[in-house]
Amino acid sequence: MDPAPPTENESRASNSVWIGRSCIVIKKLLSQWPLIRQLQTGADGTGIESMTERTRTLSTKTMGAQVARSICPYCAVGCGQLIYHKENRLVSIEGDPESPISRGHLCPKGADTYELHTHPGRLKTVKYRAPHAIEWSEIPLDAAMEMVAQRVWETRERTFEETRDGQSLMQTTGLAHLGGATLDCEENYLIKKLFTAGLGMVCLSNQARI
């Protein structure tokens, strides 16, 4: 025996239930839309009203990390940096808000200091290409430093002029020194003393930015 068709009242009640449930679902979906939450709360979209369930549970990459204060190595300005590390691994490098020089700000190069340390292409050994060679080889750091010192001294001995036109000269133009921008005033002063008074160099300059 077929069931009796629903009455008009039963159909209306069923439609009302369906519409009510649909409204609840739509209202719930709309309440998850950041724009609706901003309109409801009058917020500006920079707080929790603009977050999803996923973003509300996210934590910063520096969570649980230890922090050490340091200085950016790129130039002589000396912007302050916060070095975050966890389990002997570098986590992040950010500007130090308590630095009286930079007040938490970093230039594009200072902001990329993290990659300077962690980039897979960073060279960690001394590369040397012998005369007429077509390939680079790796040599120990001590050997490279000894090689540089020996060549500096040999060049100085070969090109040093004690006198010129009967007058005392005591200089060499066979060597030159170009300082990096990370050198401060005190370091440049010592470099000038070492290379001028010690080696007789007169060609000295510095890549100064300030």
Side-chain angles (χ1 to χ4, degrees):
M1 182 176 180
D2 295 333
T7 63
E8 184 177 350
N9 290 336
E10 290 175 339
S11 296
R12 289 179 179 176
S14 177
N15 289 338
S16 298
V17 172
W18 183 86
I19 293 174
R21 290 177 178 175
S22 299
C23 289
I24 292 174
V25 172
I26 294 174
K27 185 178 180 180
K28 183 178 180 181
L29 291 175
L30 287 176
S31 66
Q32 296 176 0
W33 192 19
L35 176 60
I36 299 299
R37 291 203 295 268
Q38 293 172 38
L39 293 174
Q40 290 174 339
T41 61
D44 60 1
T46 60
I48 195 172
E49 72 280 350
S50 63
M51 299 180 182
T52 64
E53 291 295 333
R54 177 177 176 273
T55 56
R56 273 195 289 268
T57 58
L58 290 176
S59 60
T60 62
K61 59 183 177 182
T62 58
M63 182 71 70
Q66 295 178 298
V67 61
R69 281 188 162 84
S70 185
I71 298 176
C72 178
Y74 272 110
C75 76
V77 172
C79 295
Q81 290 183 326
L82 297 178
I83 314 300
Y84 292 91
H85 56 97
K86 184 189 302 183
E87 298 176 356
N88 295 322
R89 184 176 62 87
L90 186 62
V91 175
S92 179
I93 297 180
E94 302 175 3
D96 186 355
E98 296 186 13
S99 169
I101 297 174
S102 53
R103 299 179 181 179
H105 300 285
L106 292 174
C107 76
K109 288 180 291 186
D112 284 336
T113 311
Y114 172 81
E115 191 173 7
L116 172 69
H117 291 279
T118 60
H119 194 279
R122 176 190 176 189
L123 294 178
K124 299 180 180 179
T125 57
V126 179
K127 301 291 185 179
Y128 173 68
R129 190 177 68 175
H132 309 294
I134 60 174
E135 295 181 354
W136 293 87
S137 60
E138 294 182 359
I139 61 176
L141 177 60
D142 291 342
M145 296 295 290
E146 182 66 27
M147 183 184 300
V148 171
Q150 182 179 357
R151 293 183 178 185
V152 166
W153 188 252
E154 289 177 352
T155 302
R156 189 260 188 191
E157 289 292 286
R158 187 177 68 254
T159 61
F160 190 77
E161 294 182 79
E162 293 188 7
T163 60
R164 181 183 293 177
D165 299 330
Q167 301 293 323
S168 178
L169 189 62
M170 306 300 288
Q171 72 175 31
T172 174
T173 56
L175 292 169
H177 179 271
L178 176 62
T182 56
L183 298 172
D184 56 29
C185 294
E186 292 76 16
E187 289 171 322
N188 277 303
Y189 174 81
L190 294 175
I191 288 173
K192 180 67 167 59
K193 286 292 186 180
L194 170 64
F195 291 124
T196 301
L199 297 177
M201 290 170 53
V202 293
C203 303
L204 285 88
S205 185
N206 182 61
Q207 184 195 3
R209 294 197 183 109
I210 58 173

